[in-house]
Amino acid sequence: MPAALELTRQITDLLKEDNPTNLTMPEGMEAYAWRMLCWDADVPLTDEQRMQLESCLPDCMQPAGACGWGFSEDGDRLTMMLCCTHFPAAAHRETVLWLCGHALLEQCSLLLEQEGTLTIGEEFASPSLWRAAMTPMREISDWWNKVSPITAADARTHRAGLQTLIKRRQYASLGGYVTRVLRNETEINRMCFAMVSLVIEAVWSQHAEISLRKLTEELNLNEMTRKPKEALLSWIASLQPRLRACPTVSSAAEPIDRVIAGIRADCSLPYSQANLSHSLGLTPAYFCRLFHEKTGMHFSAFLTATRMDKAQELLRQEGEKSLQEIAQSCGYPNKSYFCQVFKKYTGMTPGEFEQQCAPH
């Protein structure tokens, strides 16, 4: 068994309370640090979704190292232990973890049609300390604001500067802007790694249709540890052809409005962001980002909220419909799954909600 797979298996066993394996590093591998991560689903996961999530995890986390995982008893929380084996310097690991985290979020959105919250813990020195490392944990954006060498104020300034160039389609000027930012920096290596996330966020603000995978195809993180500035600028230059191929004006806003109106009018239909994005001629990633811009919510969260509002409205109409009929009216053919979603959303079972609404 390859060393990374063997380590993943050991970590996964370690996370099981009934199987506290004593972990040993495979020959030739070194652990530079350990981290705990958690992904909490907004909506209860099906067995198929859990299998899909497990299948994409190794690829998402591979740039940082080996990762083991386990689901909570209700199956809606994924706990991961990451063994950082690829980058000795903490400043490099932080950017790599940012990339891995966003790759996971993107895959959850595309594969599962499901959003969730990713939280990240502090680094710790030994796998035996993993339980203590579960607190404190920060949401990925809050965590990045804490560890990034770029202050929040400077990040806003630089992001706005990059966005302006991208909006004007002055892609050849991006490298020059970054060069000026780095000119007075004393920690060039760390700053170059931190600039990666700023560039990606600036691109997404104007060209949300480009996936993280496409954006990072030419990003050589190992080369950045040796020649940070040169590798960073080379990557930024490689983005120019892809950015030039993007449309200048999005024509998707009006169709997204029609999708929103359709869900509100009848939430019982089997909506799928994959099918909807295909029907609109959009990539799933672009559809997700446009939908979020329009509603302030991710597609799955909006669909669930609309369905749960409908469910509560029907449950208040005492005796008019059976629970199975209510579930189907809200887009849930499976009554049991409807009850799981309802309880997670409201904190009550449908029966408890009915009792609370009943006249006394």
Side-chain angles (χ1 to χ4, degrees), residues 106 204 208-211 285-293:
E106 186 170 87
W204 274 342
E209 67 271 28
I210 309 180
S211 69
Y286 192 24
F287 174 87
C288 291
R289 292 188 183 112
L290 281 174
F291 197 94
H292 188 272
E293 286 175 10

Side-chain angles (χ1 to χ4, degrees), residues 196 199-200 215-216 218-219 230-239:
V196 170
V199 172
I200 290 172
L215 281 176
T216 56
E218 303 297 324
L219 178 61
E230 293 85 343
L232 175 64
L233 294 176
S234 175
W235 168 62
I236 291 173
S238 76
L239 296 177

Side-chain angles (χ1 to χ4, degrees), residues 36 121-124 126-137:
M36 299 304 300
E122 304 290 342
E123 288 190 347
F124 55 102
S126 167
S128 63
L129 303 174
W130 74 270
R131 293 182 193 279
M134 293 293 290
T135 52
M137 299 189 83

Side-chain angles (χ1 to χ4, degrees), residues 258-300:
R258 291 200 296 271
V259 169
I260 294 167
I263 292 172
R264 285 174 172 155
D266 184 1
C267 63
S268 68
L269 299 176
Y271 293 102
S272 157
Q273 71 179 23
N275 292 339
L276 288 168
S277 60
H278 179 73
S279 68
L280 297 177
L282 306 174
T283 66
Y286 192 24
F287 174 87
C288 291
R289 292 188 183 112
L290 281 174
F291 197 94
H292 188 272
E293 286 175 10
K294 278 284 183 180
T295 65
M297 302 172 71
H298 294 292
F299 174 78
S300 62

Side-chain angles (χ1 to χ4, degrees), residues 53-64:
L53 182 51
E54 288 183 310
S55 70
C56 76
L57 267 174
D59 186 48
C60 291
M61 294 297 164
Q62 185 276 332

Side-chain angles (χ1 to χ4, degrees), residues 267-344:
C267 63
S268 68
L269 299 176
Y271 293 102
S272 157
Q273 71 179 23
N275 292 339
L276 288 168
S277 60
H278 179 73
S279 68
L280 297 177
L282 306 174
T283 66
Y286 192 24
F287 174 87
C288 291
R289 292 188 183 112
L290 281 174
F291 197 94
H292 188 272
E293 286 175 10
K294 278 284 183 180
T295 65
M297 302 172 71
H298 294 292
F299 174 78
S300 62
F302 179 86
L303 181 58
T304 300
T306 304
R307 286 173 166 171
M308 291 298 101
D309 287 346
K310 179 70 172 179
Q312 291 174 74
E313 177 187 332
L314 293 174
L315 286 166
R316 289 190 186 99
Q317 299 169 8
E318 187 178 2
E320 291 195 11
K321 286 189 175 184
S322 69
L323 189 57
Q324 180 65 48
E325 289 173 326
I326 290 173
Q328 291 178 338
S329 296
C330 297
Y332 297 99
N334 186 313
K335 182 179 73 173
S336 176
Y337 183 64
F338 164 74
C339 291
Q340 288 180 48
V341 177
F342 190 91
K343 184 170 184 180
K344 181 157 188 172

Side-chain angles (χ1 to χ4, degrees), residues 169-233:
R169 301 183 74 85
Q170 296 174 338
Y171 307 128
S173 300
L174 293 173
Y177 182 93
V178 171
T179 299
R180 290 192 295 275
V181 171
L182 298 174
R183 189 170 294 156
N184 298 319
E185 288 295 327
T186 55
E187 295 184 87
I188 289 291
N189 196 311
R190 190 178 184 201
M191 192 68 173
C192 284
F193 268 77
M195 286 297 296
V196 170
S197 67
L198 272 182
V199 172
I200 290 172
E201 289 171 343
V203 169
W204 274 342
S205 73
Q206 303 301 317
H207 298 299
E209 67 271 28
I210 309 180
S211 69
L212 181 65
R213 184 181 293 275
K214 291 293 185 183
L215 281 176
T216 56
E217 277 179 343
E218 303 297 324
L219 178 61
N220 190 326
L221 293 167
N222 289 316
E223 185 64 19
M224 280 189 66
T225 64
R226 295 184 285 271
K227 298 179 179 179
K229 184 177 177 180
E230 293 85 343
L232 175 64
L233 294 176

